[in-house]
């Protein structure tokens, strides 16, 4: 570090530059903070580092750490800790009683929010079926989304609630029924992109900042489809290696669970990925189109054939607009024969999972 430089310069350039895309826009956004970010589940394993990463963005005027009253770490404690960071953002907290409806408790927390990031819900436990997990987490998501519809209907809601492939369609359809824009709700699939980028960099030696792997489909198992054919650095990698890297991208979460010996899952990398998505939304609000594009799981409202899918919900590159919501869903682009075969597999599985969410919303 050049110690003769002012500390403010060191903080914004030398210290944050190595963090890559997660801190895109931090240096140039040193003006007056404008945006309020709420992290629901903010006292949890993903929520705490996610709240910190958003608090480090100078475009943010307030980060509200929201969780339940019986959280292992009180939301107020997380806020007090983050409140000591030397950044402009005020950090507040809000704890709710899960026995009561979120809509009856979250007025002060959500009013004025521009971005609501939701790393909430229960993990799948031994003996719990996927249907059990969906029923419990859909109820949690519905309570939070219902409150957002009331108090911050134009805010972008980024969901990290499993199973994402079903929860996001359920919440988007719920928003439609309320006459709101379903493009305000996105499933955060950015971690699949982050992992694919890192794996390509490790394999090819190309700096990760120069790699951008589009990851389409959904956000679980075989529905995750990295398009390595669209990455120049992969041009000389064999078909067999690409197939193995595809499988590794799908199963990367298991790598982390096994490495943590069953005592945790991907929390830090997920927080990084969630912050990347959150910062893209902020860039859209700022009119910074170049930094407002990320892959996300969204409602396909246009002619799906133009995007390259027959499904009503799909992950592809999207651009966030000046009102925060997704304003452009990008076509998936050219696929090779292997990827065409995988896409058919993805769509078959994803159709069933998305329909589960659509059916849930129809019963509300």
């Amino acid at each position: 570090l050049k110690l003769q430089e002012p500390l403010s310069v060191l903080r914004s350039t030398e210290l944050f530059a190595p963090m890559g895309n997660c801190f895109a826009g931090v240096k140039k956004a040193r003006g007056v903070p404008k945006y309020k970010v709420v992290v629901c589940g903010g006292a949890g394993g993903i929520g705490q580092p996610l709240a910190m990463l958003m608090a480090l963005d100078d475009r943010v005027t307030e980060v509200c750490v929201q969780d339940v009253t019986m959280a292992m770490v009180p939301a107020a404690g997380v806020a007090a800790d983050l409140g000591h960071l030397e950044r402009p953002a005020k950090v507040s907290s809000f704890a709710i009683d899960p026995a009561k409806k979120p809509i009856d408790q979250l007025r002060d927390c959500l009013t004025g929010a521009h971005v609501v990031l939701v790393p909430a819900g229960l993990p799948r436990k031994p003996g719990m079926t996927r249907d059990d997990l969906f029923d419990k987490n859909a109820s949690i998501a519905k309570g939070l989304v219902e409150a957002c519809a009331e108090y911050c209907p134009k805010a972008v809601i980024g969901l990290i609630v499993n199973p994402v492939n079903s929860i996001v369609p359920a919440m988007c359809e719920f928003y439609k029924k309320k006459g709101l824009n379903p493009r305000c709700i996105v499933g955060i699939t950015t971690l699949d992109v982050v992992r694919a980028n890192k794996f390509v960099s490790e394999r090819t030696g190309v700096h990760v900042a120069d790699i951008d792997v589009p990851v389409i489909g959904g956000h679980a198992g075989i529905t995750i489809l990295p398009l390595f054919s669209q990455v120049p650095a992969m041009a000389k990698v064999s078909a067999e290696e690409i197939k193995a890297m595809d499988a590794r991208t799908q199963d990367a979460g298991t790598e982390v669970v096994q490495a943590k010996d069953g005592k945790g899952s991907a929390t830090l990398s997920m927080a990084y990925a969630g912050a990347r998505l959150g910062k893209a939304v902020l860039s859209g609000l700022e009119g910074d189109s170049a930094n407002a594009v990320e892959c996300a799981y969204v409602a396909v409202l246009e002619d799906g054939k133009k995007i390259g899918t027959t499904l009503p919900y799909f992950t592809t590159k999207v651009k966030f607009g000046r009102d925060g919501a997704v304003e452009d869903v990008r076509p998936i682009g050219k696929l090779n024969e292997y990827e065409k075969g995988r896409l058919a597999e993805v769509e078959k599985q994803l159709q069933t999972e998305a329909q589960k969410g659509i059916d849930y919303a129809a019963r509300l």
Side-chain angles (χ1 to χ4, degrees):
L1 297 180
K2 298 177 182 179
L3 296 181
Q4 68 269 26
E5 294 285 350
L7 185 56
S8 61
V9 174
L10 293 178
R11 284 176 186 145
S12 63
T13 57
E14 306 288 352
L15 297 183
F16 290 162
M19 303 302 284
N21 288 337
C22 191
F23 286 97
V26 173
K27 179 183 177 183
K28 64 186 175 185
R30 291 178 60 80
V32 179
K34 302 176 183 179
Y35 306 112
K36 178 177 178 179
V37 176
V38 178
V39 181
C40 298
I46 298 171
Q48 290 191 42
L50 177 55
M52 182 183 75
L53 290 171
M54 296 310 297
L56 291 173
D57 194 309
D58 286 350
R59 296 171 292 187
V60 175
T61 185
E62 179 182 357
V63 173
C64 183
V65 178
Q66 184 274 319
D67 218 304
V68 293
T69 50
M70 72 282 294
M72 186 173 296
V73 178
V78 177
D81 197 356
L82 295 179
H84 292 171
L85 299 179
E86 46 194 346
R87 310 306 294 173
K90 168 190 172 184
V91 184
S92 59
S93 67
F94 210 92
I96 64 171
D97 181 350
K100 301 176 182 178
K101 291 184 177 181
I103 196 171
D104 296 332
Q105 304 176 74
L106 288 174
R107 179 191 296 273
D108 292 342
C109 174
L110 293 173
T111 297
H114 298 87
V115 182
V116 181
L117 301 172
V118 189
L122 302 174
R124 189 176 177 187
K125 299 176 181 178
M128 180 184 288
T129 67
R130 292 186 182 277
D131 286 344
D132 291 338
L133 180 66
F134 172 78
D135 290 342
K136 290 182 181 299
N137 282 350
S139 178
I140 292 170
K142 187 257 184 183
L144 294 171
V145 169
E146 182 179 41
C148 289
E150 180 70 20
Y151 303 123
C152 54
K154 294 185 178 181
V156 174
I157 306 171
L159 295 176
I160 314 172
V161 184
N162 286 320
V164 168
N165 289 351
S166 301
I167 296 291
V168 170
M171 297 305 106
C172 288
E173 295 294 322
F174 179 54
Y175 245 42
K176 286 182 187 179
K177 292 176 76 170
K178 288 185 168 292
L180 298 173
N181 183 2
R183 286 279 179 80
C184 286
I185 299 178
V186 302
I188 299 181
T189 64
T190 323
L191 183 53
D192 300 324
V193 175
V194 168
R195 287 166 167 163
N197 287 346
K198 185 62 177 285
F199 298 160
V200 169
S201 178
E202 290 174 338
R203 169 59 183 82
T204 65
V206 176
H207 195 286
V208 72
D210 297 322
I211 296 167
D212 182 19
V213 183
V215 182
I216 66 170
H219 185 55
I222 64 169
T223 68
I224 298 169
L225 175 52
L227 301 181
F228 293 121
S229 70
Q230 296 183 15
V231 182
M234 293 291 284
K236 296 182 179 180
V237 177
S238 71
E240 285 305 309
E241 283 188 272
I242 288 175
K243 192 173 181 179
M245 290 175 69
D246 176 17
R248 187 185 179 197
T249 305
Q250 296 173 45
D251 298 332
T254 303
E255 280 187 26
V256 178
V257 172
Q258 291 176 345
K260 291 186 176 183
D261 197 22
K263 298 178 175 67
S265 58
T267 53
L268 301 176
S269 55
M270 185 67 250
Y272 171 87
R276 234 184 88 156
L277 188 284
K279 290 168 187 292
V281 176
L282 296 181
S283 292
L285 288 165
E286 293 272 281
D288 178 11
S289 297
N291 291 308
V293 178
E294 284 287 356
C295 286
Y297 184 51
V298 299
V300 178
L301 302 180
E302 302 90 350
D303 181 356
K305 292 181 180 178
K306 294 180 181 179
I307 295 167
T309 181
T310 60
L311 300 180
Y313 290 89
F314 198 75
T315 297
T316 186
K317 284 189 175 182
V318 305
K319 182 165 80 73
F320 296 97
R322 291 299 298 258
D323 64 350
V326 171
E327 71 172 18
D328 182 30
V329 178
R330 304 284 173 86
I332 64 176
K334 186 177 180 180
L335 309 184
N336 63 22
E337 289 305 310
Y338 170 75
E339 291 164 347
K340 289 177 183 177
R342 280 277 289 113
L343 179 59
E345 183 181 47
V346 166
E347 290 190 323
K348 181 179 180 181
Q349 179 68 28
L350 192 54
Q351 174 66 63
T352 300
E353 296 180 3
Q355 191 62 47
K356 177 182 283 291
I358 294 170
D359 291 344
Y360 172 88
R363 298 191 297 269
L364 296 178

